[in-house]
Coordinates of all heavy atoms in Angstrom, one line a residue:
N540 N -22.2 -92.0 79.4 CA -22.6 -92.7 78.2 C -23.0 -94.2 78.5 O -23.3 -94.9 77.5 CB -21.4 -92.8 77.2 CG -21.0 -91.5 76.7 OD1 -21.8 -90.6 76.3 ND2 -19.7 -91.2 76.6
A541 N -23.2 -94.5 79.7 CA -23.5 -95.9 80.1 C -24.8 -96.4 79.6 O -25.0 -97.6 79.3 CB -23.5 -96.1 81.6
S542 N -25.7 -95.5 79.3 CA -27.1 -95.9 78.8 C -26.9 -96.5 77.4 O -27.8 -97.3 77.0 CB -28.0 -94.7 78.7 OG -27.5 -93.7 77.8
S543 N -25.8 -96.3 76.7 CA -25.7 -96.8 75.4 C -25.3 -98.3 75.4 O -25.3 -99.0 74.4 CB -24.6 -96.1 74.6 OG -25.0 -94.8 74.3
F544 N -25.0 -98.8 76.6 CA -24.8 -100.3 76.8 C -26.0 -101.1 76.4 O -25.9 -102.2 76.1 CB -24.3 -100.6 78.2 CG -22.9 -100.3 78.5 CD1 -22.6 -99.6 79.7 CD2 -21.9 -100.6 77.7 CE1 -21.3 -99.3 80.0 CE2 -20.5 -100.3 78.0 CZ -20.2 -99.6 79.1
A545 N -27.2 -100.4 76.5 CA -28.4 -101.1 76.2 C -28.5 -101.6 74.8 O -29.3 -102.5 74.5 CB -29.6 -100.1 76.5
T546 N -27.7 -101.0 73.8 CA -27.7 -101.5 72.5 C -26.4 -101.9 71.9 O -26.2 -102.0 70.7 CB -28.3 -100.4 71.5 OG1 -27.5 -99.2 71.7 CG2 -29.8 -100.1 71.9
Q547 N -25.4 -102.1 72.8 CA -24.1 -102.6 72.4 C -24.1 -104.1 72.4 O -24.8 -104.7 73.2 CB -23.0 -102.0 73.3 CG -21.6 -102.2 72.8 CD -20.6 -101.7 73.8 OE1 -20.4 -102.3 74.9 NE2 -19.9 -100.7 73.5
I548 N -23.2 -104.7 71.6 CA -23.1 -106.2 71.6 C -21.6 -106.6 71.7 O -20.7 -105.7 71.5 CB -23.7 -106.8 70.3 CG1 -23.0 -106.2 69.1 CG2 -25.2 -106.6 70.3 CD1 -23.5 -106.8 67.8
A549 N -21.3 -107.8 72.1 CA -19.9 -108.2 72.4 C -19.7 -109.6 71.9 O -20.5 -110.5 72.2 CB -19.6 -108.1 73.9
N550 N -18.6 -109.8 71.1 CA -18.2 -111.1 70.7 C -16.9 -111.5 71.3 O -15.8 -110.8 71.0 CB -18.1 -111.1 69.1 CG -17.7 -112.5 68.6 OD1 -16.8 -113.1 68.9 ND2 -18.6 -113.0 67.6
L551 N -16.9 -112.4 72.2 CA -15.6 -112.8 72.9 C -15.2 -114.2 72.3 O -16.1 -115.0 72.0 CB -15.9 -113.0 74.4 CG -16.2 -111.7 75.3 CD1 -15.3 -110.6 74.9 CD2 -17.7 -111.4 75.2
A552 N -13.9 -114.3 72.1 CA -13.4 -115.6 71.5 C -12.1 -116.0 72.0 O -11.3 -115.1 72.6 CB -13.3 -115.3 70.0
Y553 N -11.8 -117.2 71.8 CA -10.5 -117.8 72.2 C -10.1 -119.0 71.3 O -11.0 -119.6 70.8 CB -10.5 -118.2 73.7 CG -11.4 -119.4 73.9 CD1 -10.9 -120.7 73.9 CD2 -12.8 -119.2 74.1 CE1 -11.8 -121.8 74.2 CE2 -13.6 -120.3 74.3 CZ -13.1 -121.6 74.4 OH -14.0 -122.6 74.5
G554 N -8.8 -119.3 71.2 CA -8.4 -120.4 70.5 C -8.4 -121.6 71.4 O -8.0 -121.5 72.6
E555 N -8.9 -122.8 71.0 CA -9.0 -123.9 71.8 C -7.7 -124.5 72.3 O -7.6 -125.3 73.2 CB -9.9 -125.0 71.2 CG -9.2 -125.7 70.0 CD -10.0 -126.9 69.5 OE1 -11.0 -127.2 70.0 OE2 -9.5 -127.5 68.5
M556 N -6.6 -124.0 71.6 CA -5.3 -124.5 72.0 C -4.5 -123.4 72.8 O -3.3 -123.6 73.1 CB -4.5 -124.8 70.7 CG -5.1 -125.9 69.9 SD -4.2 -126.2 68.4 CE -2.8 -127.2 69.0
D557 N -5.2 -122.4 73.3 CA -4.6 -121.4 74.2 C -4.6 -122.0 75.6 O -5.1 -123.1 75.9 CB -5.4 -120.1 74.1 CG -4.5 -118.9 74.3 OD1 -3.3 -119.0 74.8 OD2 -4.8 -117.8 73.9
R558 N -4.0 -121.2 76.5 CA -3.8 -121.7 77.9 C -5.2 -122.0 78.6 O -6.1 -121.2 78.5 CB -3.0 -120.7 78.7 CG -2.5 -121.2 80.0 CD -1.5 -120.3 80.6 NE -0.8 -121.0 81.7 CZ 0.1 -120.4 82.5 NH1 0.5 -119.1 82.2 NH2 0.7 -121.0 83.5
N559 N -5.2 -123.1 79.3 CA -6.4 -123.5 80.1 C -7.7 -123.8 79.2 O -8.8 -123.9 79.7 CB -6.8 -122.5 81.1 CG -5.7 -122.3 82.1 OD1 -5.4 -121.1 82.5 ND2 -5.0 -123.3 82.6
A560 N -7.5 -123.9 77.9 CA -8.6 -124.2 77.0 C -8.7 -125.7 76.8 O -8.0 -126.5 77.4 CB -8.4 -123.4 75.7
E561 N -9.6 -126.1 75.9 CA -9.9 -127.5 75.7 C -8.7 -128.3 75.2 O -8.5 -129.5 75.6 CB -11.0 -127.7 74.7 CG -12.4 -127.2 75.3 CD -12.6 -125.7 75.2 OE1 -11.7 -125.0 74.7 OE2 -13.7 -125.2 75.6
K562 N -7.8 -127.8 74.3 CA -6.7 -128.5 73.8 C -5.5 -127.7 73.8 O -5.0 -127.3 72.8 CB -7.1 -128.9 72.3 CG -8.3 -129.9 72.1 CD -8.7 -130.0 70.7 CE -7.5 -130.5 69.8 NZ -7.9 -130.6 68.4
P563 N -4.9 -127.5 75.0 CA -3.7 -126.6 75.1 C -2.6 -127.0 74.1 O -2.3 -128.2 74.0 CB -3.3 -126.7 76.5 CG -4.6 -127.1 77.2 CD -5.3 -128.0 76.3
G564 N -2.1 -126.0 73.4 CA -1.1 -126.3 72.4 C 0.4 -126.3 73.0 O 0.6 -126.5 74.1
C565 N 1.3 -125.9 72.1 CA 2.7 -125.9 72.5 C 3.0 -124.8 73.5 O 2.4 -123.7 73.4 CB 3.6 -125.7 71.3 SG 3.4 -126.9 69.9
S566 N 3.9 -125.1 74.4 CA 4.3 -124.1 75.4 C 5.3 -123.2 74.6 O 6.1 -123.6 73.9 CB 5.0 -124.7 76.6 OG 4.1 -125.5 77.3
Y567 N 5.2 -121.9 74.9 CA 6.0 -120.9 74.2 C 7.2 -120.5 75.0 O 7.1 -120.2 76.2 CB 5.2 -119.7 73.8 CG 6.0 -118.6 73.1 CD1 6.4 -118.8 71.8 CD2 6.5 -117.5 73.7 CE1 7.2 -117.9 71.1 CE2 7.3 -116.5 73.1 CZ 7.6 -116.8 71.7 OH 8.4 -115.8 71.1
T568 N 8.4 -120.5 74.4 CA 9.6 -119.9 75.0 C 10.1 -118.9 74.0 O 9.9 -119.1 72.8 CB 10.6 -121.0 75.3 OG1 11.0 -121.7 74.1 CG2 10.1 -121.9 76.4
T569 N 10.8 -117.9 74.5 CA 11.3 -116.8 73.6 C 12.1 -117.4 72.4 O 13.0 -118.2 72.6 CB 12.2 -115.9 74.4 OG1 11.4 -115.3 75.5 CG2 12.6 -114.7 73.5
G570 N 11.7 -117.0 71.2 CA 12.3 -117.5 70.0 C 11.8 -118.7 69.4 O 12.2 -119.1 68.3
S571 N 10.8 -119.3 70.0 CA 10.1 -120.5 69.5 C 9.4 -120.2 68.2 O 8.7 -119.2 68.1 CB 9.1 -121.1 70.5 OG 9.8 -121.6 71.7
T572 N 9.5 -121.1 67.2 CA 8.8 -120.9 65.9 C 8.2 -122.3 65.4 O 7.7 -122.3 64.3 CB 9.8 -120.4 64.8 OG1 10.9 -121.3 64.7 CG2 10.3 -119.0 65.2
S573 N 8.3 -123.3 66.2 CA 7.9 -124.6 65.7 C 6.4 -124.8 65.6 O 5.9 -125.7 64.9 CB 8.5 -125.7 66.6 OG 8.1 -125.6 67.9
C574 N 5.6 -124.0 66.4 CA 4.2 -124.2 66.4 C 3.4 -122.9 66.1 O 2.6 -122.4 66.9 CB 3.7 -124.7 67.8 SG 4.4 -126.3 68.3
P575 N 3.7 -122.3 64.9 CA 3.0 -121.1 64.6 C 1.5 -121.2 64.6 O 1.0 -122.2 64.1 CB 3.5 -120.7 63.2 CG 4.0 -122.1 62.6 CD 4.5 -122.8 63.8
G576 N 0.9 -120.3 65.3 CA -0.6 -120.3 65.4 C -1.2 -121.2 66.4 O -2.4 -121.2 66.6
Q577 N -0.3 -122.0 67.1 CA -0.9 -123.0 68.0 C -0.1 -123.0 69.3 O -0.1 -124.1 70.0 CB -0.8 -124.4 67.3 CG -1.7 -124.5 66.1 CD -1.8 -125.9 65.5 OE1 -0.8 -126.7 65.6 NE2 -2.9 -126.2 64.9
Y578 N 0.4 -121.9 69.8 CA 1.0 -121.8 71.1 C -0.1 -121.5 72.1 O -1.1 -120.8 71.8 CB 2.1 -120.7 71.1 CG 3.4 -121.1 70.4 CD1 3.7 -120.5 69.2 CD2 4.2 -122.0 71.0 CE1 4.9 -120.9 68.5 CE2 5.4 -122.3 70.4 CZ 5.7 -121.8 69.1 OH 6.9 -122.1 68.5
Q579 N 0.1 -122.0 73.3 CA -0.7 -121.6 74.5 C 0.0 -120.5 75.2 O 1.2 -120.6 75.5 CB -1.0 -122.8 75.4 CG 0.2 -123.5 76.0 CD -0.2 -124.4 77.1 OE1 -0.8 -124.0 78.1 NE2 0.2 -125.7 76.9
L580 N -0.7 -119.4 75.6 CA -0.1 -118.3 76.3 C -1.0 -117.6 77.3 O -0.7 -117.4 78.4 CB 0.4 -117.3 75.3 CG 1.2 -116.1 75.8 CD1 2.6 -116.7 76.3 CD2 1.4 -115.0 74.8
V581 N -2.3 -117.3 76.8 CA -3.2 -116.5 77.7 C -4.4 -117.4 78.0 O -5.0 -118.0 77.2 CB -3.7 -115.2 76.9 CG1 -4.8 -114.5 77.6 CG2 -2.5 -114.3 76.7
S582 N -4.7 -117.4 79.3 CA -5.8 -118.2 79.8 C -7.2 -118.0 79.2 O -7.6 -116.8 79.1 CB -5.9 -118.1 81.3 OG -6.9 -118.9 81.9
K583 N -7.9 -119.0 78.9 CA -9.3 -118.9 78.5 C -10.1 -118.3 79.6 O -11.2 -117.7 79.3 CB -9.8 -120.3 78.2 CG -11.3 -120.4 77.9 CD -11.8 -121.8 77.8 CE -13.3 -121.8 77.8 NZ -13.9 -123.2 77.7
K584 N -9.7 -118.3 80.8 CA -10.5 -117.8 82.0 C -10.8 -116.3 81.8 O -11.8 -115.8 82.2 CB -9.7 -118.0 83.3 CG -10.4 -117.5 84.5 CD -11.7 -118.2 84.8 CE -12.1 -118.0 86.3 NZ -12.3 -116.6 86.7
W585 N -9.8 -115.6 81.1 CA -10.1 -114.2 80.9 C -11.4 -114.0 80.0 O -12.2 -113.1 80.2 CB -8.9 -113.5 80.1 CG -7.6 -113.4 80.9 CD1 -6.5 -114.0 80.7 CD2 -7.4 -112.5 82.1 NE1 -5.5 -113.6 81.6 CE2 -6.1 -112.7 82.5 CE3 -8.2 -111.7 82.8 CZ2 -5.5 -112.1 83.6 CZ3 -7.7 -111.0 83.9 CH2 -6.3 -111.2 84.3
D586 N -11.5 -114.9 79.0 CA -12.7 -114.8 78.1 C -14.0 -115.1 78.8 O -15.0 -114.4 78.6 CB -12.5 -115.7 76.9 CG -11.1 -115.4 76.2 OD1 -11.1 -114.4 75.5 OD2 -10.2 -116.2 76.4

């Protein structure tokens, strides 16, 4: 099915406060709830 890549599109995204991004947010430890939506965890490098 690889020929169908010719018409496929991809949207890659990351939060700027995630790990290694422009504005890394709060570090996450198990049970943390003080920074909902703004923890850093996964590196922007994957994106």
